[in-house]
Amino acid sequence: MGLSLRVRRRGGSGSKKEIIPVTSCSEEVEITVPSQFQCPISYELMKDPVIIASGITYDRENIEKWFESGYQTCPVTNTVLTSLEQIPNHTIRRMIQGWCGSSLGGGIERIPTPRVPVTSHQVTEICGRLSAATRRGDYAACSEMVRKLKRLGKESERNRKCVKENGAGLVLCVCFDAFSENANASLLLEEIVSVLTWMLPIGSEGQSKLTNKSSFNRLVELLRNGDQNAAFVIKELLELNVAHVHALTKINGVEEAFLKSLNRDSTCVNSLTSIHHMILTNQETVSRFLELDLVNTTVEMLVDSENSVCEKALMVINTICETKEGREKVRRNELVIPILVKKILKISEKKDLVSVMWKICKSGDGYEVEEALRLGAFKKLVVMLQVGCGEGTKEKVTELLKMMNKVMKMNGFVDRSYSSSIEFKHVKKPF
């Protein structure tokens, strides 16, 4: 008995839902998928049929999930399997491909011939050849092996998992370290970093190879040249161990490299996160970043960036405001208060935004409070209290409202939009 599916041919109107893509016309048709072409687990058309030890054919993705869940039995027969090996069923796959292209298949797009997944043995062999080439200093052979690993990763998520589980991460880190002092090895190092982006996190031995002086310097050089994969790897390393942050801050020109990265790509949350780690742990780094105009760079990012970037930029600005010098720099930027007020209700994570506003209003001469009032911060902050926020943020919002309430009374605001009796009527805590 087959499975009946109602599908809509491309070009049709109405519902956008497509169970199986089709190639022509616009009318709805019912297509019966032969039962032998259906995966016994999902009852869907198989794309990569494989036979297991019980002799039953399944779609590879579904049976792999079954095994990964801890089962060592056949889902259909419930027999305990002597092996979890999966053998491609080329006969069924060719029959499915022929059926898809026939009139019986109703014009369903022909499934592509799947690539055979890489095995642990193959990955181990590639890693062995890469290790040997690294020891010889053979640039060409290393490049070839790294490209092989990269191609395998592009083919499927299963391949990536297999490559990662068989020690390729450490081998790549060792190779990167070995060529880090070679001025002509930039292309190889870029390839290694691009593969490492899906290898992380790596073990302590691999981390030590990437964070020694020559390797870290080379990662920063790649970052300086616009390599966003390097930005991601550096960020991941800093989040693994605070010692890596201290090592990074000792590299000459690292601050300039990160500022150049932000100016080149204003959406780079990886660079913002790394900068935050650096200024959080090293006071001298804060001063160097301030000299390089980090404040104005991050404030400008708030103007029209997406929320995720804004939240990271606010995190950096908030940390800068921990220092007197930093607060002065932030207050001198005329865009700060208008942008903060505008963003109050527009970003989901408000903790850093409120903290920045609180720090510069509390340490200022009163102008910042008046400016925030004029731009409508009072109402928005009250809404924040009504909606709810964290305890620390709530305390800062409350103090900001008290400051603004004081200014309203001192300056005799008569506009009802600033009336304390109206604005506070829904706030439980008295001011």
Side-chain angles (χ1 to χ4, degrees), residues 293-415:
D293 209 23
L294 175 62
V295 169
N296 289 337
T297 299
T298 49
V299 169
E300 288 172 8
M301 293 174 74
L302 297 174
V303 175
D304 54 7
S305 297
E306 60 185 33
N307 283 351
S308 60
V309 177
C310 288
E311 288 169 5
K312 293 294 183 183
L314 285 166
M315 183 174 67
V316 170
I317 296 170
N318 186 34
T319 307
I320 289 173
C321 286
E322 289 292 322
T323 67
K324 182 178 179 181
E325 182 185 10
R327 288 191 295 273
E328 289 294 330
K329 283 272 190 181
V330 173
R331 277 205 308 271
R332 284 202 293 268
N333 188 301
E334 295 180 353
L335 288 175
V336 169
I337 291 295
I339 291 176
L340 291 179
V341 174
K342 180 181 179 181
K343 297 284 183 180
I344 289 175
L345 300 179
K346 291 189 176 182
I347 61 173
S348 54
E349 181 51 66
K350 300 174 172 59
K351 181 181 71 173
D352 289 306
L353 184 151
V354 170
S355 184
V356 171
M357 184 179 288
W358 175 78
K359 287 172 182 174
I360 61 178
C361 284
K362 191 171 182 179
S363 61
D365 57 8
Y367 167 78
E368 293 81 9
V369 178
E370 291 185 9
E371 178 74 352
L373 261 174
R374 185 182 67 80
L375 294 169
F378 197 100
K379 281 185 174 181
K380 293 181 178 182
L381 291 172
V382 170
V383 171
M384 269 193 68
L385 286 183
Q386 293 171 336
V387 172
C389 50
E391 195 60 36
T393 301
K394 183 178 180 180
E395 290 176 4
K396 289 182 175 68
V397 171
T398 300
E399 192 166 349
L400 282 166
L401 289 171
K402 285 181 178 179
M403 286 187 243
M404 293 178 187
N405 199 34
K406 183 178 179 180
V407 169
M408 285 191 286
K409 291 178 179 178
M410 288 176 59
N411 294 350
F413 279 106
V414 295
D415 191 322

Side-chain angles (χ1 to χ4, degrees), residues 179-292:
F179 285 91
S180 60
E181 295 185 15
N182 185 334
N184 299 315
S186 295
L187 290 178
L188 170 61
L189 298 181
E190 287 175 10
E191 292 279 16
I192 292 174
V193 169
S194 70
V195 179
L196 284 174
T197 56
W198 47 269
M199 293 279 184
L200 297 167
I202 53 175
S204 57
E205 189 176 354
Q207 293 176 42
S208 67
K209 294 295 182 182
L210 291 180
T211 56
N212 66 35
K213 187 175 181 180
S214 61
S215 292
F216 234 166
N217 268 295
R218 206 58 188 268
L219 277 172
V220 171
E221 180 185 318
L222 293 176
L223 172 71
R224 187 182 293 111
N225 293 333
D227 191 328
Q228 294 306 318
N229 289 324
F232 176 76
V233 170
I234 292 173
K235 186 265 293 184
E236 290 292 306
L237 289 170
L238 300 189
E239 293 185 337
L240 288 171
N241 194 326
V242 69
H244 302 336
V245 182
H246 295 299
L248 183 64
T249 58
K250 294 177 182 178
I251 296 177
N252 290 330
V254 64
E255 295 86 4
E256 288 87 345
F258 276 108
L259 258 296
K260 191 173 182 181
S261 173
L262 290 183
N263 289 325
R264 182 184 290 110
D265 180 7
S266 60
T267 65
C268 188
V269 295
N270 296 316
S271 292
L272 285 170
T273 304
S274 295
I275 290 171
H276 174 252
H277 286 302
M278 292 169 68
I279 62 179
L280 194 61
T281 57
N282 191 300
Q283 179 61 48
E284 292 181 5
T285 302
V286 177
S287 299
R288 290 199 294 270
F289 270 123
L290 290 177
E291 291 172 2
L292 293 169

